[in-house]
């Protein structure tokens, strides 16, 4: 009961100044327009982000496919380098290591191209947003 009295005392002096109905509606319209503008900007930004991600993924896949065509030459070069060193490693082990090495090189280059494409496209998108 006393708590109710305390709450009543707290709000007795509260008489906020009310603006006119037209001022309120004008301010509400401005705020709604600002919200709509932000929503449109976010939507365009998300579309551009998806486009950049697809573009960078495709660049990585294309480079990976192109490098897969040269993989036999890369593998044979790695075998030649490893067997010419006189390390005394079995030829079968050298073949396996050269194959794994070739796959690693192709994968790393593909990832590098994909990430670089993403970074470049994202930087270009950022420049367009400022203009």
């Amino acid at each position: 009961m006393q708590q109710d009295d305390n709450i009543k005392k707290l709000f007795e002096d509260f008489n906020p100044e009310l603006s006119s109905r037209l001022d309120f509606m004008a301010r509400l319209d401005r705020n709604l327009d600002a919200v709509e503008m932000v929503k449109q900007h976010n939507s365009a930004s998300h579309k551009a982000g998806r486009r950049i991600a697809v573009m960078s993924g495709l660049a990585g896949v294309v480079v990976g496919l192109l490098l897969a065509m040269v993989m036999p030459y890369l593998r044979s070069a790695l075998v030649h380098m490893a067997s010419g060193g006189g390390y005394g490693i079995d030829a079968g082990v050298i073949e396996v290591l050269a194959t794994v090495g070739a796959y690693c090189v192709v994968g790393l280059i593909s990832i590098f191209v994909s990430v670089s494409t993403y970074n470049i496209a994202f930087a270009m998108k950022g420049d367009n947003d400022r203009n």
Side-chain angles (χ1 to χ4, degrees):
M1 193 73 150
Q2 181 160 348
Q3 191 176 19
D4 290 340
D5 292 337
N6 289 338
I7 292 175
K8 284 180 184 177
K9 284 180 187 176
L10 181 68
F11 286 109
E12 276 178 357
D13 295 331
F14 184 69
N15 275 331
E17 193 174 309
L18 299 176
S19 61
S20 74
R21 183 173 185 252
L22 294 176
D23 290 342
F24 172 77
M25 291 305 289
R27 191 175 72 233
L28 181 64
D29 282 340
R30 280 193 315 270
N31 290 343
L32 288 175
D33 289 342
V35 167
E36 187 61 33
M37 185 175 64
V38 169
K39 283 172 64 176
Q40 288 175 355
H41 182 268
N42 284 343
S43 176
S45 181
H46 287 300
K47 283 181 184 179
R50 284 191 298 269
R51 195 170 37 245
I52 289 171
V54 168
M55 185 175 24
S56 64
L58 284 175
V61 168
V62 167
V63 167
L65 290 173
L66 291 174
L67 288 174
M69 288 188 237
V70 248
M71 184 154 340
Y73 303 110
L74 178 62
R75 189 181 150 283
S76 66
L78 291 174
V79 167
H80 181 68
M81 285 190 308
S83 61
Y87 299 115
I89 301 174
D90 184 35
V93 173
I94 290 177
E95 292 281 333
V96 170
L97 290 176
T99 303
V100 170
Y103 277 112
C104 288
V105 167
V106 168
L108 288 173
I109 291 173
S110 296
I111 290 171
F112 176 76
V113 167
S114 182
V115 170
S116 297
T117 303
Y118 179 84
N119 288 335
I120 290 169
F122 195 75
M124 290 173 64
K125 175 197 160 289
D127 288 343
N128 289 339
D129 279 350
R130 289 185 210 123
N131 293 335

